[in-house]
C-alpha cells in the first residue's frame, strides 16, 4: 500500500493543477466513532464495505485527530480553523446554554460563498444553545444556503426522529433512520435545489453512533451470531453509517461529480462508553482511553480523503487535525486565510506532492471533561505532552514509537519535557487570552476535578 502511495505521487505532481479551479467539497462527520470502528482501520467484525472501498480510492490517515475529545468544540474547529477555546465553543453545548458559534467567527461556508459556492448542511448542528431561535446564530447565519439539522442528538433516537428542522421549519416525525435520512436530504439538495453547475460545499454530520443508538434490523443482520444485543446494535449502527455514506458516494458517481469532488470522512471524537456494556461499544483500536480524554483514544479518529487525480491512493502517517480542513479547503480554491485572527489549522495538501505541512501552531487540545491529570495536551512532530488542570504536572510520550502511550518519558527525557511543557504553556496562554473567557471562567470541569 505504501509503495502504491509513493508511486502515485509522481502522477499526482504532474496533474496537481490540471483540474478545474472550483472543485466541490464534502465533509462527512460521524459522532463518537472510534479510531478502530471501521474495517479499513482493522476492526475484525464490523462490516463497512463502502468506507473500505472509499479508503482504497484515496488516502487513509493513520494519525488523524479531532480538535477536541467532545463534539461541539471539534465541530466549531472544522468550520473556523480555530482551536475550540479560541473560537469560544469550549464544551458540548447544552440546550439554552449561552455558548454558541459567534457570528464574529469566519466560517468555511461563508468564505466559499464569496467564491461562488452553493452551501448545504445536513445532520447534527450542536453549535448553539438556542437552536432555531433568534437569540443565537443558526446554520444560515454561518453561511449555509440550505440546512436540515437538530440541535444535538436525534430524538428519541436514530429511528423515526422527531426533532429535525429544515431551513427554520420543524419537520415533525420522519420515517427512517438518521444517517440515511440526512444523506437523502443532501442528495435531494444536490439534484433538485442547488443551482446547476455551481460548485458546492456539502456538510454531512450524522448522529450515529452517538447514543441513544437505534439501528435498522437490516444492518444488524451481519451480527445475528452475536449474543450481546448491545454489540449487535452498535455494529449495526456503524454499518448503517456505511450504507448512508455509500449512498452519497453513489449519487456523486451517478451525477458525474466524483472526479471533481474532495471528500473527507472523519469523526468528532473517540468512542463513548467503556466498550464492554450497553450499546456504546466503539473501538479505540488499542489506543489509550476514550471520548473526553486527551489521550489518543479520545482524540485520534478515522480520517480518509479522496479526490481523484489530486489525492493519491495509500496511507499517510502525518498527523492532521479537524481544524486543518479549513486551511486545506481554502488553499485548494486560493482563498487567503483571515489575517485578523489566529488560524490554528494548516493546509495538508502539500503532503500529496511529497511536501510537509507548514504548521504555525502546534496541535493543541483542552477539554473540561477530561481527567484533571490530562486536562490539556499538545503535539509537535512525534512528541506529545499532557498537563494536569493546575498546569504543574506533565506526561511526555513519543507517539510514533508509543502510540498506546504506555511509556511516560517525563522523567527520562528532562530536556525534551522542558521544551514541550514550555511550548504547551505558551500556546495554552495565547488560546485562553483570545477566547470569550467569560463563558468558561468558574465553570465546573470534570466530575473528578470537582472532587479535588
Amino acid at each position: 500500500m505504501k509503495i502504491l502511495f509513493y508511486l502515485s505521487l509522481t502522477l499526482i505532481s504532474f496533474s496537481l493543477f490540471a483540474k478545474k479551479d472550483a472543485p466541490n467539497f464534502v465533509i462527512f462527520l460521524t459522532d463518537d466513532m472510534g479510531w478502530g470502528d471501521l474495517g479499513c482501520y482493522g476492526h475484525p467484525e464490523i462490516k463497512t464495505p463502502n468506507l473500505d472501498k472509499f479508503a482504497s480510492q484515496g488516502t487513509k490517515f493513520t494519525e488523524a485527530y479531532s480538535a477536541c475529545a467532545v463534539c461541539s468544540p471539534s465541530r466549531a474547529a472544522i468550520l473556523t480553523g480555530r482551536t475550540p477555546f479560541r473560537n469560544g465553543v469550549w464544551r458540548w453545548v447544552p440546550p439554552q446554554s449561552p455558548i454558541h458559534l459567534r457570528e464574529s467567527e469566519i466560517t468555511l461556508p461563508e468564505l466559499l460563498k464569496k467564491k461562488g459556492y452553493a452551501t448545504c448542511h445536513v445532520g447534527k448542528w450542536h453549535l448553539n444553545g438556542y437552536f432555531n431561535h433568534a437569540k443565537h446564530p443558526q446554520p444560515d447565519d454561518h453561511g449555509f444556503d440550505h440546512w436540515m439539522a437538530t440541535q444535538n442528538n436525534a430524538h428519541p433516537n436514530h429511528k423515526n426522529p422527531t426533532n429535525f428542522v429544515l431551513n427554520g421549519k420543524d419537520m415533525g416525525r420522519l420515517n427512517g433512520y438518521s444517517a440515511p435520512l440526512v444523506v437523502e436530504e443532501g442528495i435531494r439538495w444536490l439534484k433538485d435545489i442547488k443551482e446547476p453547475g455551481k460548485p458546492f460545499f456539502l456538510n454531512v454530520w450524522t448522529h450515529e453512533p452517538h447514543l441513544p443508538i437505534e439501528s435498522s434490523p437490516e444492518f444488524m443482520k451481519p451480527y445475528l451470531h452475536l449474543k450481546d444485543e448491545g454489540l449487535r446494535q452498535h455494529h449495526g449502527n456503524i454499518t448503517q453509517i456505511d450504507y448512508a455514506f455509500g449512498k452519497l458516494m453513489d449519487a456523486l458517481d451517478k451525477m458525474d461529480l466524483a472526479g471533481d469532488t474532495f471528500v473527507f470522512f472523519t469523526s468528532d471524537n473517540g468512542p463513548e462508553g467503556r466498550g464492554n456494556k450497553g450499546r456504546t461499544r466503539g473501538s479505540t483500536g488499542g489506543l489509550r482511553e476514550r471520548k473526553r480524554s486527551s489521550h489518543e483514544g479520545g482524540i485520534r479518529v478515522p480520517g480518509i480523503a479522496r479526490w481523484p487525480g489530486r489525492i493519491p491512493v495509500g496511507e499517510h502517517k502525518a498527523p492532521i487535525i479537524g481544524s486543518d480542513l479549513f486551511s486545506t479547503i481554502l488553499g485548494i480554491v486560493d482563498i487567503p486565510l483571515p489575517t485578523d485572527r489566529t488560524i490554528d489549522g494548516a493546509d495538508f495538501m502539500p503532503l500529496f506532492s511529497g511536501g510537509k505541512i507548514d504548521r504555525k501552531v502546534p496541535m493543541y487540545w483542552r477539554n473540561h471533561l477530561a481527567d484533571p491529570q490530562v486536562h490539556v495536551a499538545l503535539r509537535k512532530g512525534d512528541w506529545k505532552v499532557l498537563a494536569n488542570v493546575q498546569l504543574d504536572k506533565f506526561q511526555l510520550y513519543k507517539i510514533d514509537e508509543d502510540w498506546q502511550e504506555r511509556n511516560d518519558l517525563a522523567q527520562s527525557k528532562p530536556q525534551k519535557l522542558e521544551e514541550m511543557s514550555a511550548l504547551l504553556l505558551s500556546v495554552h496562554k495565547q488560546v485562553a487570552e483570545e477566547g470569550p473567557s467569560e463563558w468558561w471562567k468558574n465553570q465546573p470541569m470534570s466530575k473528578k476535578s470537582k472532587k479535588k
Side-chain angles (χ1 to χ4, degrees):
M1 186 64 79
K2 290 183 179 178
I3 293 173
L4 180 59
F5 179 91
Y6 288 111
L7 284 175
S8 63
L9 284 179
T10 304
L11 297 175
I12 294 294
S13 63
F14 286 110
S15 62
L16 196 56
F17 298 102
K19 298 289 181 180
K20 59 184 280 190
D21 292 331
N24 310 304
F25 300 99
V26 175
I27 296 177
F28 198 105
L29 182 73
T30 63
D31 196 342
D32 287 3
M33 178 180 282
W35 186 64
D37 272 337
L38 301 178
C40 54
Y41 277 84
H43 199 287
E45 189 82 41
I46 297 177
K47 311 299 181 186
T48 52
N50 294 300
L51 280 157
D52 296 349
K53 176 183 176 181
F54 179 72
S56 74
Q57 297 169 335
T59 292
K60 183 183 79 172
F61 287 93
T62 57
E63 297 184 24
Y65 292 93
S66 59
C68 188
V70 291
C71 48
S72 300
S74 60
R75 296 162 189 274
I78 288 172
L79 293 183
T80 66
R82 286 154 57 77
T83 200
F85 273 77
R86 214 188 296 271
N87 67 43
V89 185
W90 63 280
R91 59 159 295 160
W92 70 273
V93 183
Q96 300 183 350
S97 165
I99 301 163
H100 62 276
L101 186 61
R102 299 167 296 170
E103 288 193 80
S104 60
E105 291 295 324
I106 300 172
T107 68
L108 193 49
E110 287 174 333
L111 293 172
L112 288 172
K113 280 186 69 167
K114 293 179 180 180
K115 194 85 169 181
Y117 276 73
T119 59
C120 174
H121 172 90
V122 289
K124 180 171 177 174
W125 180 242
H126 211 189
L127 291 174
N128 53 23
Y130 287 85
F131 179 68
N132 202 34
H133 190 289
K135 191 169 183 176
H136 279 172
Q138 304 305 314
D140 52 320
D141 296 308
H142 287 299
F144 288 104
D145 300 324
H146 183 88
W147 57 281
M148 171 193 178
T150 62
Q151 191 267 341
N152 187 354
N153 304 322
H155 181 81
N157 49 50
H158 303 143
K159 182 180 179 180
N160 301 336
T162 61
N163 59 333
F164 271 97
V165 171
L166 178 63
N167 297 322
K169 295 183 179 180
D170 291 336
M171 299 182 74
R173 183 182 186 272
L174 302 178
N175 294 319
Y177 291 82
S178 180
L181 285 169
V182 300
V183 162
E184 286 166 10
E185 180 63 18
I187 294 171
R188 186 178 80 90
W189 176 76
L190 286 172
K191 288 183 174 180
D192 303 332
I193 300 172
K194 183 188 77 68
E195 183 180 330
K198 213 173 187 183
F200 64 84
F201 173 74
L202 174 60
N203 226 23
V204 182
W205 290 1
T206 72
H207 298 90
E208 289 94 327
H210 193 291
L211 55 81
I213 286 175
E214 194 63 46
S215 303
S216 167
E218 175 187 358
F219 303 120
M220 289 191 285
K221 285 180 181 178
Y223 315 109
L224 291 177
H225 63 286
L226 300 174
K227 295 181 180 179
D228 189 321
E229 187 268 351
L231 276 177
R232 291 197 301 273
Q233 280 282 351
H234 173 267
H235 292 5
N237 217 239
I238 301 295
T239 301
Q240 190 161 284
I241 295 169
D242 182 78
Y243 165 80
F245 181 82
K247 195 169 185 178
L248 179 58
M249 294 304 101
D250 286 345
L252 294 179
D253 285 338
K254 291 175 181 177
M255 297 173 71
D256 197 26
L257 294 170
D260 291 325
T261 303
F262 171 107
V263 181
F264 195 86
F265 176 91
T266 191
S267 176
D268 64 349
N269 47 250
E272 178 64 272
R274 296 178 182 177
N276 59 3
K277 65 179 181 179
R279 297 183 179 185
T280 52
R281 306 293 283 276
S283 170
T284 67
L287 298 170
R288 183 173 175 179
E289 297 189 1
R290 306 175 73 80
K291 177 180 178 178
R292 300 177 186 84
S293 176
S294 300
H295 280 298
E296 295 289 286
I299 54 177
R300 193 189 290 199
V301 292
I304 310 170
R306 187 190 76 178
W307 185 9
R310 293 286 296 268
I311 290 178
V313 172
E315 292 185 1
H316 212 298
K317 66 171 291 184
I320 62 169
I321 192 167
S323 51
D324 290 345
L325 287 166
F326 182 88
S327 298
T328 300
I329 290 173
L330 293 184
I332 289 170
V333 293
D334 198 27
I335 296 176
L337 295 178
T339 57
D340 64 339
R341 63 199 63 206
T342 302
I343 301 298
D344 296 279
D347 185 350
F348 58 68
M349 283 301 291
L351 295 173
F352 304 131
S353 54
K356 296 181 179 180
I357 298 176
D358 182 17
R359 194 173 295 285
K360 307 296 185 187
V361 183
M363 287 194 248
Y364 164 88
W365 298 271
R366 180 180 177 186
N367 180 17
H368 73 297
L369 292 176
D371 185 290
Q373 300 308 310
V374 291
H375 179 64
V376 292
L378 178 142
R379 178 168 176 176
K380 182 179 180 183
D382 293 330
W383 291 91
K384 179 179 174 184
V385 62
L386 302 97
N388 63 354
V389 70
Q390 293 86 10
L391 303 174
D392 59 6
K393 293 182 180 179
F394 301 91
Q395 299 176 38
L396 180 69
Y397 301 94
K398 194 171 186 186
I399 296 298
D400 63 328
E401 299 175 356
D402 183 22
W403 59 279
Q404 293 181 304
E405 296 170 293
R406 292 177 171 176
N407 186 21
D408 182 358
L409 302 174
Q411 297 299 318
S412 61
K413 299 285 185 182
Q415 290 184 324
K416 178 58 70 172
L417 176 65
E418 182 179 1
E419 172 195 333
M420 291 295 293
S421 60
L423 183 59
L424 170 59
L425 293 175
S426 174
V427 173
H428 182 77
K429 183 175 183 290
Q430 294 167 11
V431 170
E433 288 175 348
E434 287 189 32
S437 59
E438 67 277 9
W439 284 359
W440 62 75
K441 278 183 178 177
N442 302 317
Q443 293 295 311
M445 295 295 129
S446 71
K447 292 180 180 178
K448 292 181 181 179
S449 295
K450 286 190 282 187
K451 291 178 183 178
K452 285 188 173 281

